């Protein structure tokens, strides 16, 4: 029984680290891939943009719902970067229950945080790139 608890104590953190998954659907003109750190999250559409596609992501990793949401948003940015979008306008956020597991006789519910939005390309202003 002691070995089981040791193995379980090592296994649970690995499950919580988990991973996020995502997809993209190209609906416009795909651009060259960029780094995910260059993708900006928007809550509203900017004045001028070009829609590249639709991106979705989900994560059940993390100790809290906020951690899971952070992982999902990071994956959303990864998906957008793959198709050359430098922005994402988040359109939907939610949670889905994916059942649960029993840990040391205690039922632990597992849920995933889901986000989706439009992957967009925003032309950067020359003045913003080279401030004087």
């Amino acid at each position: 029984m002691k070995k089981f608890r040791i193995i379980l104590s090592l296994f649970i953190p690995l499950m919580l680290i988990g991973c996020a998954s995502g997809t993209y659907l190209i609906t416009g003109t795909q651009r060259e891939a960029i780094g995910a750190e260059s993708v900006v999250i928007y809550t509203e559409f900017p004045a001028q943009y070009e829609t590249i596609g639709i991106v979705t992501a989900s994560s059940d990793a993390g100790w809290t719902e906020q951690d899971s949401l952070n992982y999902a948003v990071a994956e959303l940015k990864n998906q957008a970067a793959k198709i050359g979008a430098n922005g994402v306008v988040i359109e939907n956020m939610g949670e889905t229950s994916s059942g649960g597991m029993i840990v040391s006789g205690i039922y632990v519910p597992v849920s995933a945080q889901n986000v989706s939005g439009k992957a967009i390309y925003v032309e950067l202003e020359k003045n913003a790139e080279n401030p004087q």
Side-chain angles (χ1 to χ4, degrees):
M1 186 62 157
K2 193 171 190 174
K3 281 185 179 182
F4 177 74
R5 287 188 180 193
I6 292 171
I7 292 171
L8 192 58
S9 68
L10 295 173
F11 181 68
I12 289 176
L14 290 175
M15 285 184 54
L16 291 173
I17 291 170
C19 65
S21 61
T23 61
Y24 61 81
L25 173 65
I26 298 171
T27 60
T29 303
Q30 183 173 356
R31 295 176 172 265
E32 187 175 326
I34 63 172
E37 67 280 354
S38 299
V39 178
V40 176
I41 299 295
Y42 294 92
T43 55
E44 296 179 5
F45 287 96
Q48 293 186 343
Y49 66 92
E50 175 189 334
T51 300
I52 296 177
I54 300 167
V55 288
T56 64
S58 177
S59 175
D60 60 1
W63 289 101
T64 65
E65 287 180 14
Q66 184 63 53
D67 284 342
S68 293
L69 183 59
N70 292 345
Y71 289 127
V73 169
E75 180 59 25
L76 196 71
K77 291 171 80 171
N78 287 333
Q79 294 300 317
K82 288 179 185 178
I83 59 175
N86 63 1
V88 174
V89 180
I90 294 182
E91 296 183 312
N92 293 304
M93 292 174 46
E95 179 179 54
T96 55
S97 175
S98 53
M101 62 183 169
I102 297 178
V103 179
S104 298
I106 299 171
Y107 178 77
V108 179
V110 177
S111 62
Q113 298 296 318
N114 306 300
V115 290
S116 65
K118 291 244 171 77
I120 62 173
Y121 181 80
V122 179
E123 190 70 42
L124 300 176
E125 295 180 28
K126 302 244 185 243
N127 293 337
E129 291 176 7
N130 299 317
Q132 295 178 353

